[in-house]
Amino acid sequence: MGKRSRPRMGASTSHWPTPRRVAVLAAVLAVLLTVAGIAAYVTQRGTGQDAGPSTRPSAATSPPAASQPGNAASGSGTGAVSPPPRLSDPLAYARAAAVMLWSYDTRATTRDQQLAGMHAWMAAETKYTDWASIQAQVPDPLLWSRMRDNAQYATATVTEAHFPSAFKQALAEDPAALTEAYIYAVTVTGKQSIAWKDGGGGAEDRAVTLAVQCRPSADCALVAIAPNTAP
């Protein structure tokens, strides 16, 4: 029963249909166009039209409010979610962000707390951020409740982080393009280990391409998760 409740937090998400997501793609340059096959979305920037309905349920643009203030296990705070580190290196920040995205502890953290903790990692420049792609990593309330009944939690380790080849090529062709939003594409690989009560557990390899904003003289912040992993 435990295995059926295992979420795939950190797995690839569905297409990015909204104009905000188009802005993210443009800021991250050719890499997200090349590996995710989203060139059609970018071509619609001039028309101002949406790319169509999402195949994923619509998500809130901000984390839910705490349901029971003062109860660390029920709603307030961010539970066991780690706070964002103060880093100016996009590779180092993406490594930390991947660990955060692949980790959770339903024994000490509510779903609302998980979302609030993840939102704390987001960039302040909302015109670039795609909170929906991050929020989609969290299981729905019913599944989270079942995971909590099983005392399920996950830890993660990172093996490697690198700039995808298409991103590096795009920068080589137009280095000045980065200076508008200072958003970097970073692919991170690692392993997620999951455990639940009665000794259940397992481990899976993970890989994700993140969009990370690192402006000069400022800490990095998370922007979005790419629909597919860039090599």
Side-chain angles (χ1 to χ4, degrees), residues 109-203:
T109 308
T110 67
R111 183 177 183 273
D112 282 0
Q113 288 175 324
Q114 185 74 24
L115 289 169
M118 294 166 69
H119 195 270
W121 289 66
M122 299 296 291
E125 297 180 51
T126 56
K127 68 178 180 178
Y128 296 121
T129 59
D130 180 18
W131 168 238
S133 70
I134 309 299
Q135 186 181 26
Q137 307 305 301
V138 179
D140 62 61
L142 178 59
L143 180 53
W144 187 274
S145 176
R146 291 177 176 174
M147 291 161 54
R148 187 170 185 176
D149 291 341
N150 285 329
Q152 186 168 313
Y153 64 96
T155 57
T157 57
V158 167
T159 304
E160 185 266 347
H162 67 274
F163 297 122
S165 57
F167 179 75
K168 292 190 292 185
Q169 180 179 350
L171 285 184
E173 294 174 354
D174 186 8
L178 184 66
T179 61
E180 178 181 351
Y182 286 96
I183 293 177
Y184 300 79
V186 182
T187 294
V188 185
T189 57
K191 185 178 292 290
Q192 182 189 53
S193 299
I194 305 173
W196 52 87
K197 64 183 180 181
D198 300 326

Side-chain angles (χ1 to χ4, degrees), residues 31 142 206:
V31 61
L142 178 59
R206 285 280 183 261

